[in-house]
Each structure stands twice: as C-alpha cells, then as structure tokens.
Amino acid sequence: MTHGKSGRGDAHGKAILMGEHAVVYGFPAVAVPLPEIKVSAEATSREGDDWLDCTYYRGPLQNAPSELAGLRLLIVEGLERIKWRRPIGITIRSDIPAGYGLGSSAAVAAAVARALYHLAGAPLPRETLLELVAVSETMCHGEPSGVDAQATTGLDPLWFVRGRSPEIVAIPTPMYLVVAASSQPGNTRHTVQQVRALQERLGSGTGPIDRIGALTAASRPAIEHGDYPYLGALMIEVHRELAALNAATSEVEQLVAAALRHEALGAKLTGGGGGGSMVVLAKDIQQQRQLADVLMSAGATRVWTPIVRGTGLSAIN
Ligand code: PMV
C-alpha cells in the first residue's frame, strides 16, 4: 500500500560509437546519449515490505532475482545515504532493452538513484550519482569503465577516459545514426571477462585492444572536422577488432554486412557484444531511413534512428 510521498528520476540510453572494451583498459571511448530512449523511476513511501516493480520482477525487494542484485544493492546503499528508514516502493519503466549494449543497467541505476534523492528532498551531486551507479554496475559488469554512467545521465556526446572527467565532443555537422538490436541479448559481464582473459594472454601493446585504442584516438579529429567518411572507415576497423575479440555474433555480423552492402559510411557492434546491438553511420537523413529498413529486413528486431547534433541537442526522429 502506498503512503503518498514520492520522488521521480529519469535517465536515457546511450550508444558507444568508438572504443568499447578498450575503454576498460584506459583507452578513450566516444559515446553518444540516446535521450529519447528513456527510463523513469518512482520511489514511494509505503507500508509493508520494500517493493520493486519493473519489467522483469514485481514483488518484495528482498526476493528480487539475482539478475537484479546490482539494483538491489544500489537501493540499499541509496537508502542508507539518504537516511531513509521507512518501507519504500520502487517502480521502474524503461524503453531500453536490457542486454543490448544501450546502457540499460546504468540508466536504470541512475533513474532510481535520482528518484530516491528526490523522495528525500536531498540534493544529488553528480559525483554521488556516479558512485551509486557504479555500485550497481560493478555488481552487473564486474569492472565497469564508467562510460555508461556518464553517457546515460547527460545530453552531450562524450570523449571518455576511465578515471578522468569526460570531455564534450564538438559535432559540427549532424550525425545520422541507425542503432539496430539483434534478436539475442548480450552479456557484458561475460564478454568483458572473455576479453580480459585474451588480453592477459596477449599482453598489452599489440593486440585488438591497443588497435581499438589507436582507432578511437584517430576518430576524435574526424568527428570534430565532420569528416564522416573517415569516421565510418574507422568504425569498420573497430568492428573488425571487436570481432577478433569474439564480441560479435554471426547475427550482428550479418547486420553490419547488410549496412555496408548498402553503402553506409560505417557500421559496427556497439556496447559489450556477445549479441546485443550494432550502430551504423549514414551519409544523410534519406540514407538513414533507408538503412533502418534494410536492417529490419536483415533480421534486426528493433531500430532507432538518432540524429546527434552539437551539444545537448541530440534527437531521435
Ligand atoms: O554493453 P554495455 O552497454 O554495458 O557497454 C559496455 C561497454 C564496455 O566497454 C564493454 C564495458 C565498460 O564498462 O566500458
């Protein structure tokens, strides 16, 4: 039974344009927010047990399944920090599919943290928000770089290096993207561990991770000068390296191949992989729409068509 007092919080999806996996090892990543794929959370004072209501579970918080352990931990930690002592109900509504490399777990954690602080009427400094998201992400991912926490809570395209404040990437010309989900969710924890094992075998300096780092470094001037043909070529190279890390499923490979056959500037896996989603860079809005149809015909289960502009002006048509 609800008790009246409530707080709300929001966050949104993200796509990693360049640098996934390498970002865990201190290389840069470029991430863009997807502000129209939203998550919202409501925290309500109630009677009885602490309660969770989300897509995957509805019931007492303490009985939530192990897949939600990170979220449970974040709620407990958040309640402790705001010194909340009464039973609480958390309701989460999300448009971000979980396990698709689009930042679902970080966005859910951020929306819930914001809802808790709103409920308590307490200010939530950005540093605290990021710490709370990290509590949940560490449980979900093992060793999150922090890029998802940043990109799902702000509206700017970001240049992110682990442990540093992110920089805003200037985008002089609109970037027409297509994000497509395959039929299979990925498992970022698993692919991050798999990449770790490979990286330890290869040592640093020569393998796919280092090459992704170098390709991503080259992408920043390409983005800032609006040289999207070159950016697209770099995306294709990064995809090859991610495939060498066994992060791309055959289904994602098919989607990438379909986009390139139809003359996309670039196409690659996005996020942790092992399933999940891919991202395409189109030449213009007409090609963006055409490629969205191509990807649906090639087996994508969902497509989004974000247009990334300058700073804080991203939109999805
Ligand atoms: O799959 P996602 O959306 O959680 O993205 C993970 C990105 C990685 O670089 C693979 C991991 C990380 O923490 O940066």
Side-chain angles (χ1 to χ4, degrees):
M1 197 179 148
T2 58
H3 194 257
K5 198 171 177 207
S6 71
R8 285 186 62 85
D10 300 299
H12 49 256
K14 66 93 226 265
I16 299 181
L17 206 56
M18 296 287 285
E20 49 274 271
H21 284 292
V23 67
V24 171
Y25 298 87
F27 292 102
V30 179
V32 295
L34 302 176
E36 309 229 345
I37 314 181
K38 290 182 196 301
V39 178
S40 68
E42 188 172 16
T44 312
S45 177
R46 70 188 307 273
E47 282 158 27
D49 292 328
D50 287 336
W51 195 262
L52 180 62
D53 179 348
C54 64
T55 316
Y56 306 96
Y57 174 75
R58 188 163 189 267
L61 179 64
Q62 59 173 0
N63 298 342
S66 58
E67 296 78 37
L68 298 175
L71 181 60
R72 208 168 59 210
L73 202 63
L74 154 77
I75 295 169
V76 171
E77 171 81 24
L79 292 173
E80 193 58 41
R81 291 198 190 198
I82 60 172
K83 303 194 180 359
W84 189 265
R85 303 279 175 250
R86 275 167 284 156
I88 194 151
I90 306 279
T91 304
I92 301 162
R93 295 290 171 256
S94 177
D95 296 333
I96 313 174
Y100 279 84
L102 303 178
S104 165
S105 58
V108 165
V112 168
R114 284 172 163 163
L116 291 177
Y117 277 69
H118 187 218
L119 172 69
L124 174 56
R126 188 152 181 85
E127 211 179 303
T128 310
L129 172 66
L130 297 173
E131 277 168 24
L132 285 169
V133 175
V135 166
S136 168
E137 288 286 272
T138 302
M139 192 72 145
C140 301
H141 277 195
E143 47 173 334
S145 64
V147 64
D148 285 12
Q150 291 285 359
T152 57
T153 56
L155 290 175
D156 296 306
L158 295 178
W159 177 260
F160 177 88
V161 177
R162 189 173 191 166
R164 293 200 210 149
S165 294
E167 294 168 34
I168 296 171
V169 181
I171 298 201
T173 345
M175 207 182 258
Y176 298 98
L177 302 178
V178 186
V179 176
S182 69
S183 72
Q184 245 187 326
N187 181 334
T188 299
R189 186 184 191 87
H190 177 76
T191 50
V192 166
Q193 280 171 358
Q194 180 183 297
V195 169
R196 164 77 58 204
L198 191 72
Q199 187 65 1
E200 276 167 11
R201 236 182 25 247
L202 291 175
S204 61
T206 53
I209 288 291
D210 295 84
R211 288 196 289 274
I212 294 172
L215 293 161
T216 303
S219 75
R220 186 166 181 174
I223 296 171
E224 289 180 341
H225 295 132
D227 186 352
Y228 294 162
Y230 184 46
L231 173 63
L234 294 169
M235 287 169 69
I236 296 168
E237 288 298 316
V238 167
H239 179 75
R240 290 208 182 105
E241 300 302 339
L242 290 168
L245 291 168
N246 292 325
T249 56
S250 58
E251 220 189 310
V252 166
E253 289 292 10
Q254 274 170 35
L255 295 174
V256 167
L260 296 180
R261 258 197 323 274
H262 287 80
E263 293 174 9
L265 294 177
K268 61 179 273 295
L269 164 70
T270 186
S277 303
M278 48 87 72
V279 60
V280 177
L281 178 62
K283 289 180 193 128
D284 53 30
I285 196 161
Q286 284 78 22
Q287 196 196 32
Q288 181 192 39
R289 289 185 181 144
Q290 184 213 350
L291 287 168
D293 292 341
V294 162
L295 292 170
M296 284 305 285
S297 307
T301 53
R302 267 186 91 171
V303 294
W304 296 267
T305 49
I307 301 175
V308 185
R309 303 172 204 272
T311 58
L313 291 171
S314 309
I316 292 183
N317 60 17

